[in-house]
Amino acid sequence: MTYQHERLSANPHDRTAQHRADDTWLAGRWADPETRVLVVSGTRVRPADGALDWVAPAQAPDGLRVLLGEHDGRAWFAVIVDADISKADGDWTPLRGLLPFLADDALAGAPLVFHALGLAEWLWVTRFCPRCGEPLRPRASGHELACDNGHVQFPRTDPAVIMIVTSGEPGAEDERCLLGRQAVWPAGRYSTLAGFCEPGETLEDAVRREVLEESGVVVGDVQYFGNQPWPLPASLMLGMVGRATTTEIAVDEHELEDARWFTRAEMKELAEAGTLLLPQGVSISRSLVEHWYGGPLPGQW
């Protein structure tokens, strides 16, 4: 079974890191009319006619040129312009707003978009050197930041675990999975639990800690499922499957408003009725749910 989240990482581009500081190579590729550019205002993109608008270099505005790499015989760049442009124009969309059609956008390629917006987010929030407080300036085609004291910063990616927790005999009719919901979500929306890894912590222990903290459920065995880059803002989501050793729920009421167990029959009935809204199709959370369920499910948010 091919999971939806895998489509976001399919057919990745060659990042051509060896050319990021090669001014001659960069100028030559920028002069090529076949090169394509994604314009990013702060951390937002403006779609055109329901698709991402990759333009030729001659159509791109002035801004910070970020080399993404090569794909399908072309060079691909992002140009990052002032965030005030998108603030004045409501047509600019953050990454989350692009997800419903991103996986089907064969021209753009989701890995290119995730690369562009992940760097844009990092450049947006990383303005001053954390060691000396001096302003940072981009170099290496936007993949490094340096201050006058020679301190260099590189893009950050934070590991986060996201897990489906199960209880009961695997595959049995009464086997259940654990989902939770936040208070700010619309009625009926439930998802897998998730959380960031802490220093010195294994992925398995991060799963156990997060599930216990948020739901009160104790997890024993933990198995790796898959991963998904998630630049919202700078995460690598590590999908895991955990087996519960207790089933009593006691939500923390800080991260979660509610958590509950679902059998496959309950999940199918509620999803078909529209009273259970599961994560959107391109997310690894959806893949984890459908992996446990055994196939596609209706309804998403």
Side-chain angles (χ1 to χ4, degrees), residues 48-68:
D49 299 323
L52 295 177
D53 192 18
W54 293 88
V55 301
Q59 299 173 286
D62 291 334
L64 173 63
R65 294 181 189 175
V66 174
L67 173 65
L68 303 177

Side-chain angles (χ1 to χ4, degrees), residues 28-299:
R29 300 316 300 264
W30 188 262
D32 185 348
E34 291 299 308
T35 291
R36 287 296 175 263
V37 183
L38 183 67
V39 181
V40 183
S41 173
T43 60
R44 292 172 175 257
V45 174
R46 182 167 57 187
D49 299 323
L52 295 177
D53 192 18
W54 293 88
V55 301
Q59 299 173 286
D62 291 334
L64 173 63
R65 294 181 189 175
V66 174
L67 173 65
L68 303 177
E70 294 183 315
H71 187 59
D72 289 341
R74 290 174 164 174
W76 301 76
F77 289 80
V79 167
I80 301 176
V81 299
D82 197 297
D84 289 339
I85 294 175
S86 60
K87 291 178 182 177
D89 184 345
D91 291 338
W92 293 79
T93 306
L95 176 59
R96 192 176 295 278
L98 303 175
L99 291 176
F101 63 84
L102 186 57
D104 296 322
D105 192 343
L107 171 63
L112 284 162
V113 179
F114 274 32
H115 188 178
L117 295 187
L119 280 174
E121 173 72 28
W122 173 67
L123 292 165
W124 172 251
V125 301
T126 313
R127 308 292 185 88
F128 299 94
C129 178
R131 295 183 62 187
C132 66
E134 289 295 313
L136 292 166
R137 286 184 294 277
R139 66 184 194 185
S141 297
H143 289 75
E144 296 179 13
L145 291 169
C147 70
D148 287 342
N149 291 325
H151 302 140
V152 181
Q153 308 300 316
F154 298 93
R156 289 286 306 275
T157 297
D158 298 318
V161 289
I162 183 166
M163 44 278 181
I164 189 86
V165 177
T166 67
S167 173
E169 185 67 24
E173 186 176 334
D174 61 351
E175 185 189 18
R176 302 180 295 173
C177 79
L178 180 69
L179 301 179
R181 58 170 279 104
Q182 297 180 16
V184 297
W185 291 354
R189 179 184 293 186
Y190 280 80
S191 185
T192 51
L193 307 190
F196 287 101
C197 298
E198 293 187 349
E201 188 174 48
T202 67
L203 300 180
E204 293 82 1
D205 283 341
V207 169
R208 297 182 184 108
R209 175 183 53 78
E210 285 288 345
V211 174
L212 182 62
E213 288 176 357
E214 294 184 5
S215 71
V217 172
V218 177
V219 171
D221 182 62
V222 177
Q223 299 293 323
Y224 175 76
F225 171 77
N227 68 87
Q228 179 181 51
W230 198 248
L232 294 170
S235 305
L236 178 63
M237 305 303 296
L238 298 151
M240 314 292 283
V241 179
R243 296 288 298 171
T245 60
T246 67
T247 57
E248 184 176 352
I249 294 173
V251 295
D252 64 353
E253 297 184 0
H254 172 64
E255 304 235 7
L256 297 182
E257 176 193 60
D258 185 38
R260 58 172 293 191
W261 294 100
F262 296 86
T263 65
R264 291 179 178 84
E266 289 170 338
M267 182 174 286
K268 180 176 185 293
E269 178 183 356
L270 295 172
E272 288 178 344
T275 54
L276 173 63
L277 301 178
L278 297 167
Q280 56 198 335
V282 296
S283 72
I284 194 169
S285 181
R286 180 76 175 209
S287 297
L288 282 164
V289 171
E290 294 191 342
H291 165 72
W292 172 79
Y293 178 78
L297 281 161

